[in-house]
Amino acid sequence: PAEVAGCLLPHVISMVGARGAALLDQAGTVLGTHGEIPGLDKDPLGEGPQAAGTPAEDRPSVRLSLSDGWLLVWGSPYTPVFGRQELELLQAVGSLADLALERLRVANRDAELAAVVDASGDAIVSTGLDGTIRSWNPAATAIYGRPADQAVGQPFTTVVPTDRVEQAVELLRRVTEGERVSLETRHLRGHGETFSVSLTAAPLRGPAGAVLGMSVVARDVTERKR
C-alpha cells in the first residue's frame, strides 16, 4: 500500500494543484501521504468530533471514497476550491488506486495460499480440463516419489495404475461438470509401486464461475489400511 500511495499521490498534487494528499484504508489508517497534510494525526478523515476544533484550511478539501478506503486532498492558496474538472481527475486517480490496491490484495492472498499449499502434508495437485498436471506441491513429491519437473505437464493418469485409468477419466469428467468427489483408490509411485490413497477432487473455477480445471488433495492411507 505504501508503494501505491508513493506512486499516485505526487500525481494527485501535480494534477489538481493541491498542497497535500493522503491515502487511507477503510478503518482510517494512513497508508501513505505526500505534501502538507495538517491535522491528519488528530482526525484522519477530517470528519470526526475533533474536526470541529480544526481550522477549515487544515481540513481535507476533498474526501473521495474508494472501494476500500479514502483519498484525501488538501487545497492550496491557488486552488482553495476544486471544480468539476479537478474532481473528475481525482475520481480517475481514485479508480487507479482501487485497481492497484485490489491487485495488491490478490497478490497477498495468492502468496498466503501458496505458503499453505507448500506446507501441507497432503499432496495438492491441480490439472487443466484435459487432465494435464499444472501444479505439484512438495508433499506430492514426497508421497508419489516424483519431483515436480517430472510431473507438471504430464497427464494425471501418469500417477494412476492401468486398471484405474478409467476411474481417473470418470473422476475428471464429474469434476469438470461441477461435482466435488471424494473416494479411496490406488495410485502409483514413481518407481512403480501402487499404494492406497484417499482423495478429494473439486472444480477449479475462474472469476466468472466457469470450471477451468480440477484440484486434487490426496493422502497416503497405506498404513491406515494396513
Side-chain angles (χ1 to χ4, degrees), residues 55-94:
E57 63 271 15
D58 287 348
R59 299 177 199 168
S61 305
V62 173
R63 289 189 296 269
L64 182 63
S65 176
L66 308 178
S67 63
D68 194 26
W70 299 85
L71 174 62
L72 309 184
V73 183
W74 283 259
S76 74
Y78 305 102
T79 57
V81 178
F82 294 117
R84 190 181 75 174
Q85 184 177 4
E86 287 82 5
L87 291 176
E88 288 176 349
L89 286 171
L90 290 176
Q91 288 170 347
V93 174

Side-chain angles (χ1 to χ4, degrees), residues 28-62:
T29 303
V30 178
L31 302 177
T33 65
H34 191 77
E36 298 178 32
I37 46 169
L40 188 65
D41 57 334
K42 300 176 184 177
D43 185 24
L45 291 176
E47 57 183 7
Q50 304 95 318
T54 304
E57 63 271 15
D58 287 348
R59 299 177 199 168
S61 305
V62 173

Side-chain angles (χ1 to χ4, degrees), residues 27 42 58 68 75-76 79 88 96 102 106-107 116 125 148 197 204:
K42 300 176 184 177
D58 287 348
D68 194 26
S76 74
T79 57
E88 288 176 349
L96 289 175
E102 178 58 27
V106 169
V116 170
V125 180
V197 62
L204 285 174

Side-chain angles (χ1 to χ4, degrees), residues 11-203:
H11 292 294
V12 170
I13 291 175
S14 63
M15 282 192 306
V16 299
R19 60 172 166 149
L23 187 64
L24 282 63
D25 66 15
Q26 196 66 46
T29 303
V30 178
L31 302 177
T33 65
H34 191 77
E36 298 178 32
I37 46 169
L40 188 65
D41 57 334
K42 300 176 184 177
D43 185 24
L45 291 176
E47 57 183 7
Q50 304 95 318
T54 304
E57 63 271 15
D58 287 348
R59 299 177 199 168
S61 305
V62 173
R63 289 189 296 269
L64 182 63
S65 176
L66 308 178
S67 63
D68 194 26
W70 299 85
L71 174 62
L72 309 184
V73 183
W74 283 259
S76 74
Y78 305 102
T79 57
V81 178
F82 294 117
R84 190 181 75 174
Q85 184 177 4
E86 287 82 5
L87 291 176
E88 288 176 349
L89 286 171
L90 290 176
Q91 288 170 347
V93 174
S95 297
L96 289 175
D98 272 335
L99 179 61
L101 292 172
E102 178 58 27
R103 287 182 175 176
L104 184 62
R105 284 191 290 271
V106 169
N108 288 338
R109 285 197 299 268
D110 288 348
E112 290 174 1
L113 178 60
V116 170
V117 169
D118 285 347
S120 173
D122 294 333
I124 300 178
V125 180
S126 67
T127 78
L129 290 174
D130 61 354
T132 299
I133 296 172
R134 290 182 175 176
S135 67
W136 187 264
N137 75 334
T141 295
I143 290 172
Y144 287 96
R146 300 171 186 265
D149 60 0
Q150 293 181 16
V152 174
Q154 299 298 313
F156 184 68
T157 50
T158 301
V159 302
V160 177
T162 305
D163 62 345
R164 303 294 174 102
V165 169
E166 289 187 10
Q167 182 190 56
V169 172
E170 176 66 9
L171 174 68
L172 179 63
R173 184 193 67 76
R174 292 170 64 184
V175 171
T176 55
E177 290 181 355
E179 190 176 347
R180 182 184 179 92
V181 182
S182 295
L183 57 85
E184 282 195 5
T185 184
R186 296 192 68 78
H187 276 181
L188 197 64
R189 301 197 201 276
H191 52 72
E193 174 196 4
T194 64
F195 66 102
S196 297
V197 62
S198 173
L199 66 83
T200 297

